[in-house]
């Protein structure tokens, strides 16, 4: 009995492998290899100028535990993330609900709120840097209504607030569009039935809208949390981590250690820490979906 | 099994890439040579001159087919350069700023230049000023040519001062009254009258604190001791200098406060402290201007200089050819041409006559007072091994100073607390 190698199932399998090959290759080259390299570098002391690359084992991880500046960086990161996530998601949902109404001008406002998303991040931040100067546009506007604005980027509290707001305004449109898409997928008959039963608008929002769009809330919260942990350009352009170290978030601190102070091995260790934090938070959010995501497709 | 094989392959690739990225030593090239030199300036006139010199070198050395000048923005110059080196894409020659000189010179990254320069016909190493080469030497070897030794001076908008009814610095110099007290008083009065800024320490912007050495050196203050081991911020001269500066900013309003920018060259301030290489920005100035030395401080007359060195990266494939090009680039003839923009370290060329030929915007007396006298007596801006980390620590610890009503002495003590462990490394 002769057997053919290229049976139908093998052909299907080969086609499947071919289809995923580019993605797999990309993932290996640009995700897994760099991840492995970063971990490998974190076990070394790498002096670029002296051209030395010495295995130091867990020394960099011990240095991580002993680093007094790391606490400040983690605190700044937590503050930035909390501010960004809360403001971004709340505002995005509010805008989406408002712009989901059948009113004139909603298309215009959707465009207005989404347009910053497609603007170059650095250009956007530079412009905001000028606006937030002591004698800049924001304080000029405040002055017209008799308010003496603070020196936004020079105060420890206001600098962090400014960075958060600049980032929220930049990206709130993306989450708004995702929420809009989700809102438009909520069956109208649910609201009709609730109206017949006498449910108020607030009750309808709480008991119908939020549960029905909960998968999108999960998605946007994961994207926003991960994005908030990776903020860099805004800090580099607006504050350079100051005043003091008030806006030195983990990614900026990592950049300083690796690329400014030439501690590449320790910088790699901070990258591993960041990766672990992102992974942990994403897993926690993913596990929590069982409690608060109403349905999943 | 397949998954395990995949993981093993990925791990092997990781290891191979990791090892190949580190400790790779290039073999010397024997074929055509292409050189790349990183520079911070993208000024067309600078690059035109560089390319003219490079073309002349290529004409004499047919093996060298390309010499490329690669401008990197000043703000991130050293960071980008070291990142290029880390990525295995380092240049053959690099322009090195004075604040990173100790790191480059002592790390072994650069090729010693003495032998190449000594054997180059007509090079005349004895003509190089010892004061200018000091920062670029270690163990008796020269690791970078002090390409530009540029003193800081004060550019003055004479129209703005006259409109405010103030004496110009030239008049104050003539009356032997060009002191920091007078300078701040004039700047304050001018700012009040014009509504524009008085005096701007260019490139400081409440972050680049090392530019303040142009002020505190007048009090005899220094960021750290000559051996780099002892912090100078909590010493009395620095406390006095910073107290004076703080009052000038927040009481006298002579300097624009934090978060306010003013560009002298656009006519937005009465005076600015910067290097003479910025004079080219005044080519089309629509206001009367002057260039004068830094005012005298309580410790007398002084000068501060910024430096840049030109070095050859030892790791490059064509380090010997690059060193030969460096010798040609900085030969007496080419040094005289480069003096148009970059004050040379050659004592024979540090004359008002020579510099006047290539600096038509500046008068001979300005060149004598600010450049020649400045170079001979000047102290270099602060530099230390691990400067980037120290600089960041100082910047963060100094931030509280830039508010009204602060305890200057306490803030400066905090600076020393922050940097003492770094100085001790």
């Amino acid at each position: 009995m002769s057997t053919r190698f290229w049976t139908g199932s093998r052909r299907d399998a080969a086609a499947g492998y071919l289809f995923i090959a580019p993605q797999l290759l990309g993932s290996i080259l640009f995700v897994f290899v760099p991840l492995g390299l970063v971990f490998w570098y974190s076990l070394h002391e790498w002096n670029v100028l002296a051209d030395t690359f010495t295995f130091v084992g867990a020394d960099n991880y011990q240095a991580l535990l002993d680093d007094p500046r790391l606490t400040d960086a983690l605190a700044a990161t937590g503050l930035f993330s909390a501010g960004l996530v809360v403001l971004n998601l709340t505002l995005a949902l509010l805008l989406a609900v408002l712009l989901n109404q059948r009113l004139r001008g909603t298309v215009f406002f959707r465009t207005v709120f989404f347009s910053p998303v497609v603007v170059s991040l650095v250009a956007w931040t530079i412009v905001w840097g000028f606006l937030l100067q002591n004698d800049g546009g924001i304080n000029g506007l405040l002055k017209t209504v008799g308010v003496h604005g603070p020196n936004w980027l020079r105060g420890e509290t206001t600098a962090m607030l400014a960075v958060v707001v600049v980032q929220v305004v930049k990206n709130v449109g993306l989450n708004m569009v995702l929420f809009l898409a989700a809102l438009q997928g909520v069956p109208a008959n649910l609201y009709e039935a609730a109206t017949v039963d006498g449910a108020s608008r607030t009750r309808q929002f709480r008991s119908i809208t939020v549960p029905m769009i909960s998968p999108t809330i999960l998605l946007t919260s994961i994207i926003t949390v991960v994005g908030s942990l990776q903020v860099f350009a805004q800090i580099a352009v607006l504050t350079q981590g100051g005043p003091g170290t008030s806006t030195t978030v983990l990614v900026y601190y990592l950049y300083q250690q690796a690329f400014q102070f030439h501690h590449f091995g320790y910088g790699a260790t901070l990258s591993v820490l960041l990766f672990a934090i992102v992974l942990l938070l994403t897993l926690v959010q993913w596990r929590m979906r069982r409690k608060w995501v109403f349905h999943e497709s | 099994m397949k998954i395990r094989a995949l993981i093993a392959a990925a791990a092997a690739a990781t290891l191979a890439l990791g090892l190949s990225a580190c400790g790779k030593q290039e073999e010397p090239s024997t074929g055509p040579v292409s050189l790349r030199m990183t520079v911070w300036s993208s000024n067309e006139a600078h690059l035109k001159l560089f390319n003219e010199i490079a073309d002349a070198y290529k004409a004499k050395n047919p093996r060298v087919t390309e010499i490329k000048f690669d401008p990197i923005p000043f703000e991130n110059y050293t960071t980008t350069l070291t990142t290029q080196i880390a990525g295995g894409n380092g240049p053959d020659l690099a322009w090195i700023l004075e604040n990173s000189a100790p790191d480059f010179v002592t790390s072994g990254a650069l090729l010693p230049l003495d032998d190449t320069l000594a054997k180059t016909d007509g090079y005349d190493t004895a003509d190089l000023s010892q004061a200018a080469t000091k920062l670029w030497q270690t163990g008796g070897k020269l690791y970078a040519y002090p390409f530009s030794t540029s003193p800081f001076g004060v550019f003055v908008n004479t129209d703005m001062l006259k409109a405010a009814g103030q004496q110009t610095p030239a008049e104050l110099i003539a009356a032997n009254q060009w002191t920091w007290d007078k300078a701040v008083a004039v700047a304050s009065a001018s700012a009040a009258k014009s509504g524009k800024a008085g005096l701007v320490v260019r490139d400081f912007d409440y972050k680049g604190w090392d530019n303040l050495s142009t002020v505190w050196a007048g009090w005899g203050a220094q960021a750290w001791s000559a051996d780099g081991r002892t912090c100078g911020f909590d010493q009395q001269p620095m406390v006095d200098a910073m107290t004076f500066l703080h009052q000038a900013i927040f009481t006298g309003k002579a300097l624009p406060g934090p978060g306010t920018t003013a560009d002298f060259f656009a006519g937005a301030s009465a005076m600015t402290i910067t290097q003479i290489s910025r004079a080219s920005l005044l080519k089309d100035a629509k206001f009367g201007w002057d260039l004068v030395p830094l005012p005298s401080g309580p410790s007398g007359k002084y000068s501060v200089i910024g430096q840049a060195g030109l070095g050859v990266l030892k790791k490059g494939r064509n380090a010997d050819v690059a060193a030969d090009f460096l010798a040609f680039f900085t030969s007496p003839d080419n040094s005289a041409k480069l003096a148009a923009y970059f004050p040379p370290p050659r004592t024979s060329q540090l004359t008002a006559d020579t510099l006047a030929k290539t600096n038509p915007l500046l008068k001979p007396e300005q060149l004598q007072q600010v450049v020649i006298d400045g170079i001979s007596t000047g102290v270099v801006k602060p530099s230390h091994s691990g400067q980037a980390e120290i600089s960041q620590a100082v910047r963060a610890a100094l931030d509280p100073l830039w508010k009204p009503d602060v305890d200057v002495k306490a803030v400066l003590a905090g600076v020393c607390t922050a940097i003492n462990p770094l100085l001790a490394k």
Side-chain angles (χ1 to χ4, degrees), chain B residues 21-65:
Chain B
C22 315
K24 189 174 166 184
Q25 192 63 48
E26 300 278 4
E27 290 297 318
S29 160
T30 53
V33 172
S34 172
L35 297 177
R36 184 167 68 93
M37 173 172 149
T38 51
V39 295
W40 68 264
S41 173
S42 54
N43 182 306
E44 282 182 22
H46 296 174
L47 294 176
K48 183 169 176 281
L49 177 56
F50 295 168
N51 281 312
E52 281 171 10
I53 297 172
D55 288 343
Y57 183 78
K58 283 190 291 183
K60 289 174 70 175
N61 298 274
R63 191 178 156 222
V64 180
T65 54

Short mmCIF file of all heavy atoms in Angstrom, two decimals, chain B residues 21-65:
data_model
loop_
_atom_site.label_atom_id
_atom_site.label_comp_id
_atom_site.label_asym_id
_atom_site.label_seq_id
_atom_site.Cartn_x
_atom_site.Cartn_y
_atom_site.Cartn_z
N ALA B 21 27.36 41.12 19.75
CA ALA B 21 27.22 42.56 19.99
C ALA B 21 28.31 43.10 20.90
O ALA B 21 28.54 44.28 20.97
CB ALA B 21 25.86 42.86 20.60
N CYS B 22 28.94 42.20 21.62
CA CYS B 22 29.89 42.67 22.62
C CYS B 22 31.30 42.20 22.31
O CYS B 22 31.52 41.10 21.85
CB CYS B 22 29.52 42.10 23.99
SG CYS B 22 27.79 42.23 24.33
N GLY B 23 32.22 43.08 22.58
CA GLY B 23 33.62 42.71 22.47
C GLY B 23 34.07 42.42 21.06
O GLY B 23 35.09 41.79 20.83
N LYS B 24 33.30 42.92 20.09
CA LYS B 24 33.66 42.63 18.70
C LYS B 24 34.81 43.54 18.28
O LYS B 24 34.73 44.75 18.39
CB LYS B 24 32.43 42.89 17.84
CG LYS B 24 32.57 42.43 16.41
CD LYS B 24 31.21 42.62 15.73
CE LYS B 24 31.32 42.51 14.25
NZ LYS B 24 30.02 42.78 13.63
N GLN B 25 35.88 42.95 17.81
CA GLN B 25 37.03 43.75 17.39
C GLN B 25 37.12 43.69 15.87
O GLN B 25 37.24 42.62 15.27
CB GLN B 25 38.30 43.19 18.02
CG GLN B 25 39.51 44.10 17.88
CD GLN B 25 39.34 45.43 18.60
OE1 GLN B 25 38.93 45.46 19.75
NE2 GLN B 25 39.62 46.52 17.93
N GLU B 26 37.05 44.87 15.23
CA GLU B 26 37.08 44.90 13.78
C GLU B 26 38.51 44.68 13.28
O GLU B 26 39.47 45.14 13.88
CB GLU B 26 36.58 46.27 13.29
CG GLU B 26 35.16 46.60 13.70
CD GLU B 26 34.14 45.96 12.78
OE1 GLU B 26 34.55 45.21 11.89
OE2 GLU B 26 32.95 46.21 12.97
N GLU B 27 38.62 43.96 12.17
CA GLU B 27 39.92 43.79 11.52
C GLU B 27 40.26 45.06 10.76
O GLU B 27 39.38 45.67 10.15
CB GLU B 27 39.84 42.61 10.54
CG GLU B 27 39.74 41.25 11.21
CD GLU B 27 40.96 40.93 12.05
OE1 GLU B 27 42.08 41.19 11.59
OE2 GLU B 27 40.79 40.44 13.17
N PRO B 28 41.55 45.47 10.73
CA PRO B 28 41.91 46.64 9.95
C PRO B 28 41.59 46.42 8.48
O PRO B 28 41.78 45.32 7.95
CB PRO B 28 43.42 46.77 10.17
CG PRO B 28 43.72 45.97 11.38
CD PRO B 28 42.70 44.89 11.43
N SER B 29 41.11 47.47 7.84
CA SER B 29 40.73 47.36 6.44
C SER B 29 41.95 47.62 5.55
O SER B 29 42.84 48.38 5.88
CB SER B 29 39.64 48.41 6.17
OG SER B 29 39.56 48.68 4.82
N THR B 30 41.98 46.93 4.42
CA THR B 30 43.07 47.18 3.47
C THR B 30 42.54 47.78 2.17
O THR B 30 43.32 48.22 1.33
CB THR B 30 43.82 45.88 3.14
OG1 THR B 30 42.86 44.92 2.73
CG2 THR B 30 44.60 45.37 4.34
N GLY B 31 41.24 47.76 2.01
CA GLY B 31 40.64 48.26 0.77
C GLY B 31 40.31 49.74 0.88
O GLY B 31 40.90 50.45 1.71
N PRO B 32 39.38 50.20 0.03
CA PRO B 32 38.97 51.61 0.09
C PRO B 32 38.42 51.94 1.47
O PRO B 32 37.79 51.11 2.12
CB PRO B 32 37.86 51.69 -0.96
CG PRO B 32 38.04 50.51 -1.82
CD PRO B 32 38.66 49.44 -0.98
N VAL B 33 38.68 53.16 1.88
CA VAL B 33 38.30 53.56 3.24
C VAL B 33 37.22 54.65 3.20
O VAL B 33 37.32 55.60 2.44
CB VAL B 33 39.52 54.09 4.01
CG1 VAL B 33 39.12 54.69 5.34
CG2 VAL B 33 40.53 52.98 4.22
N SER B 34 36.23 54.43 4.03
CA SER B 34 35.19 55.45 4.20
C SER B 34 35.19 55.87 5.67
O SER B 34 35.13 55.01 6.56
CB SER B 34 33.83 54.84 3.81
OG SER B 34 32.81 55.72 4.12
N LEU B 35 35.32 57.14 5.92
CA LEU B 35 35.38 57.62 7.31
C LEU B 35 34.11 58.38 7.65
O LEU B 35 33.51 59.04 6.79
CB LEU B 35 36.58 58.55 7.52
CG LEU B 35 37.98 57.95 7.33
CD1 LEU B 35 39.03 59.05 7.50
CD2 LEU B 35 38.24 56.82 8.32
N ARG B 36 33.73 58.29 8.91
CA ARG B 36 32.56 59.06 9.39
C ARG B 36 32.95 59.79 10.67
O ARG B 36 33.57 59.21 11.56
CB ARG B 36 31.39 58.12 9.66
CG ARG B 36 30.11 58.83 10.06
CD ARG B 36 28.91 57.88 10.00
NE ARG B 36 28.99 56.85 11.00
CZ ARG B 36 28.43 56.92 12.20
NH1 ARG B 36 27.73 58.00 12.54
NH2 ARG B 36 28.53 55.94 13.07
N MET B 37 32.60 61.05 10.71
CA MET B 37 32.92 61.86 11.91
C MET B 37 31.64 62.51 12.42
O MET B 37 30.92 63.17 11.66
CB MET B 37 33.93 62.93 11.52
CG MET B 37 34.23 63.94 12.60
SD MET B 37 35.61 65.00 12.09
CE MET B 37 35.19 66.53 12.91
N THR B 38 31.36 62.29 13.70
CA THR B 38 30.16 62.92 14.26
C THR B 38 30.51 64.32 14.75
O THR B 38 31.56 64.54 15.35
CB THR B 38 29.59 62.10 15.44
OG1 THR B 38 30.64 61.83 16.36
CG2 THR B 38 28.98 60.79 14.98
N VAL B 39 29.61 65.25 14.47
CA VAL B 39 29.80 66.65 14.89
C VAL B 39 28.47 67.14 15.46
O VAL B 39 27.42 66.58 15.14
CB VAL B 39 30.22 67.56 13.71
CG1 VAL B 39 31.58 67.15 13.18
CG2 VAL B 39 29.19 67.51 12.58
N TRP B 40 28.52 68.14 16.31
CA TRP B 40 27.25 68.63 16.88
C TRP B 40 26.64 69.72 16.00
O TRP B 40 25.46 70.03 16.08
CB TRP B 40 27.41 69.14 18.31
CG TRP B 40 28.22 70.39 18.43
CD1 TRP B 40 29.53 70.47 18.73
CD2 TRP B 40 27.77 71.74 18.26
NE1 TRP B 40 29.94 71.78 18.74
CE2 TRP B 40 28.88 72.58 18.46
CE3 TRP B 40 26.54 72.32 17.95
CZ2 TRP B 40 28.81 73.97 18.36
CZ3 TRP B 40 26.46 73.70 17.86
CH2 TRP B 40 27.58 74.51 18.06
N SER B 41 27.46 70.31 15.14
CA SER B 41 26.96 71.43 14.36
C SER B 41 26.40 70.98 13.02
O SER B 41 27.01 70.16 12.33
CB SER B 41 28.10 72.42 14.09
OG SER B 41 27.66 73.42 13.20
N SER B 42 25.24 71.51 12.68
CA SER B 42 24.71 71.28 11.33
C SER B 42 24.72 72.59 10.55
O SER B 42 24.08 72.71 9.51
CB SER B 42 23.31 70.68 11.39
OG SER B 42 22.50 71.49 12.19
N ASN B 43 25.47 73.56 11.07
CA ASN B 43 25.61 74.85 10.41
C ASN B 43 26.23 74.64 9.02
O ASN B 43 27.28 74.02 8.88
CB ASN B 43 26.51 75.75 11.28
CG ASN B 43 26.68 77.13 10.71
OD1 ASN B 43 27.06 77.29 9.56
ND2 ASN B 43 26.39 78.13 11.52
N GLU B 44 25.56 75.17 8.01
CA GLU B 44 26.01 74.93 6.63
C GLU B 44 27.43 75.42 6.38
O GLU B 44 28.21 74.77 5.69
CB GLU B 44 25.05 75.61 5.64
CG GLU B 44 23.76 74.82 5.45
CD GLU B 44 22.85 75.48 4.43
OE1 GLU B 44 23.35 76.25 3.60
OE2 GLU B 44 21.64 75.22 4.49
N ALA B 45 27.76 76.58 6.95
CA ALA B 45 29.10 77.14 6.74
C ALA B 45 30.16 76.24 7.38
O ALA B 45 31.23 76.02 6.79
CB ALA B 45 29.17 78.54 7.34
N HIS B 46 29.86 75.72 8.57
CA HIS B 46 30.80 74.81 9.23
C HIS B 46 31.02 73.56 8.36
O HIS B 46 32.15 73.15 8.10
CB HIS B 46 30.27 74.36 10.60
CG HIS B 46 30.12 75.47 11.59
ND1 HIS B 46 29.55 75.30 12.82
CD2 HIS B 46 30.45 76.78 11.53
CE1 HIS B 46 29.55 76.44 13.49
NE2 HIS B 46 30.09 77.35 12.71
N LEU B 47 29.90 72.97 7.92
CA LEU B 47 30.00 71.72 7.16
C LEU B 47 30.69 71.95 5.82
O LEU B 47 31.43 71.09 5.34
CB LEU B 47 28.60 71.12 6.96
CG LEU B 47 27.91 70.64 8.24
CD1 LEU B 47 26.50 70.16 7.95
CD2 LEU B 47 28.71 69.53 8.91
N LYS B 48 30.48 73.12 5.24
CA LYS B 48 31.12 73.43 3.96
C LYS B 48 32.65 73.45 4.14
O LYS B 48 33.39 72.87 3.34
CB LYS B 48 30.63 74.80 3.46
CG LYS B 48 31.15 75.21 2.10
CD LYS B 48 30.39 76.44 1.61
CE LYS B 48 30.95 76.96 0.29
NZ LYS B 48 32.16 77.74 0.45
N LEU B 49 33.08 74.09 5.20
CA LEU B 49 34.52 74.15 5.47
C LEU B 49 35.09 72.76 5.75
O LEU B 49 36.14 72.37 5.24
CB LEU B 49 34.79 75.09 6.66
CG LEU B 49 36.24 75.22 7.12
CD1 LEU B 49 37.14 75.67 5.98
CD2 LEU B 49 36.34 76.22 8.27
N PHE B 50 34.36 71.98 6.57
CA PHE B 50 34.82 70.62 6.87
C PHE B 50 34.98 69.81 5.58
O PHE B 50 35.95 69.08 5.38
CB PHE B 50 33.82 69.88 7.78
CG PHE B 50 33.67 70.46 9.16
CD1 PHE B 50 32.62 70.06 9.98
CD2 PHE B 50 34.57 71.40 9.64
CE1 PHE B 50 32.47 70.58 11.25
CE2 PHE B 50 34.43 71.93 10.92
CZ PHE B 50 33.36 71.52 11.73
N ASN B 51 33.97 69.93 4.71
CA ASN B 51 34.00 69.14 3.47
C ASN B 51 35.12 69.60 2.55
O ASN B 51 35.71 68.78 1.85
CB ASN B 51 32.65 69.23 2.75
CG ASN B 51 31.62 68.30 3.39
OD1 ASN B 51 31.92 67.13 3.63
ND2 ASN B 51 30.44 68.81 3.70
N GLU B 52 35.43 70.88 2.57
CA GLU B 52 36.55 71.37 1.74
C GLU B 52 37.86 70.74 2.22
O GLU B 52 38.68 70.30 1.41
CB GLU B 52 36.64 72.90 1.84
CG GLU B 52 35.61 73.62 0.96
CD GLU B 52 35.56 75.13 1.24
OE1 GLU B 52 36.45 75.64 1.97
OE2 GLU B 52 34.63 75.77 0.73
N ILE B 53 38.03 70.70 3.52
CA ILE B 53 39.25 70.10 4.07
C ILE B 53 39.28 68.60 3.76
O ILE B 53 40.32 68.03 3.38
CB ILE B 53 39.35 70.36 5.59
CG1 ILE B 53 39.47 71.87 5.86
CG2 ILE B 53 40.54 69.62 6.20
CD1 ILE B 53 39.39 72.26 7.32
N ALA B 54 38.13 67.96 3.89
CA ALA B 54 38.05 66.52 3.61
C ALA B 54 38.35 66.24 2.14
O ALA B 54 39.05 65.26 1.82
CB ALA B 54 36.66 66.00 3.98
N ASP B 55 37.86 67.08 1.25
CA ASP B 55 38.13 66.88 -0.19
C ASP B 55 39.63 66.98 -0.47
O ASP B 55 40.17 66.21 -1.27
CB ASP B 55 37.36 67.92 -1.02
CG ASP B 55 35.87 67.64 -1.03
OD1 ASP B 55 35.50 66.49 -0.70
OD2 ASP B 55 35.08 68.55 -1.35
N ALA B 56 40.27 67.94 0.20
CA ALA B 56 41.72 68.09 0.00
C ALA B 56 42.45 66.84 0.50
O ALA B 56 43.42 66.40 -0.13
CB ALA B 56 42.21 69.33 0.75
N TYR B 57 41.99 66.28 1.59
CA TYR B 57 42.62 65.06 2.12
C TYR B 57 42.41 63.89 1.16
O TYR B 57 43.35 63.12 0.89
CB TYR B 57 42.04 64.73 3.50
CG TYR B 57 42.70 63.53 4.13
CD1 TYR B 57 43.95 63.63 4.73
CD2 TYR B 57 42.07 62.28 4.13
CE1 TYR B 57 44.57 62.52 5.30
CE2 TYR B 57 42.67 61.18 4.70
CZ TYR B 57 43.91 61.30 5.28
OH TYR B 57 44.52 60.19 5.85
N LYS B 58 41.20 63.76 0.64
CA LYS B 58 40.90 62.65 -0.28
C LYS B 58 41.75 62.77 -1.54
O LYS B 58 42.20 61.76 -2.10
CB LYS B 58 39.41 62.65 -0.64
CG LYS B 58 38.53 62.09 0.48
CD LYS B 58 37.10 61.86 0.05
CE LYS B 58 36.38 63.15 -0.19
NZ LYS B 58 34.97 62.99 -0.55
N ALA B 59 41.98 64.00 -1.98
CA ALA B 59 42.78 64.19 -3.20
C ALA B 59 44.21 63.69 -2.98
O ALA B 59 44.84 63.16 -3.90
CB ALA B 59 42.79 65.68 -3.56
N LYS B 60 44.70 63.83 -1.75
CA LYS B 60 46.06 63.38 -1.46
C LYS B 60 46.11 61.89 -1.08
O LYS B 60 47.17 61.28 -1.09
CB LYS B 60 46.65 64.19 -0.28
CG LYS B 60 46.98 65.63 -0.65
CD LYS B 60 47.40 66.43 0.55
CE LYS B 60 48.74 66.01 1.08
NZ LYS B 60 49.19 66.87 2.18
N ASN B 61 44.95 61.34 -0.72
CA ASN B 61 44.89 59.94 -0.27
C ASN B 61 43.77 59.22 -1.01
O ASN B 61 42.65 59.08 -0.49
CB ASN B 61 44.62 59.88 1.24
CG ASN B 61 45.72 60.54 2.04
OD1 ASN B 61 46.72 59.92 2.37
ND2 ASN B 61 45.56 61.83 2.31
N PRO B 62 44.07 58.76 -2.23
CA PRO B 62 43.02 58.16 -3.07
C PRO B 62 42.32 56.96 -2.43
O PRO B 62 41.19 56.65 -2.78
CB PRO B 62 43.77 57.73 -4.33
CG PRO B 62 45.05 58.49 -4.31
CD PRO B 62 45.36 58.80 -2.89
N ARG B 63 43.00 56.31 -1.49
CA ARG B 63 42.38 55.15 -0.83
C ARG B 63 41.15 55.57 -0.02
O ARG B 63 40.22 54.79 0.18
CB ARG B 63 43.42 54.50 0.09
CG ARG B 63 42.98 53.16 0.60
CD ARG B 63 44.06 52.52 1.47
NE ARG B 63 43.45 51.57 2.36
CZ ARG B 63 43.76 51.42 3.64
NH1 ARG B 63 44.71 52.16 4.18
NH2 ARG B 63 43.15 50.52 4.37
N VAL B 64 41.18 56.79 0.45
CA VAL B 64 40.03 57.29 1.23
C VAL B 64 39.00 57.83 0.25
O VAL B 64 39.18 58.87 -0.38
CB VAL B 64 40.46 58.38 2.23
CG1 VAL B 64 39.28 58.89 3.02
CG2 VAL B 64 41.54 57.84 3.16
N THR B 65 37.93 57.08 0.10
CA THR B 65 36.94 57.43 -0.94
C THR B 65 35.82 58.31 -0.40
O THR B 65 35.13 58.98 -1.16
CB THR B 65 36.32 56.16 -1.53
OG1 THR B 65 35.82 55.37 -0.45
CG2 THR B 65 37.37 55.36 -2.30
#
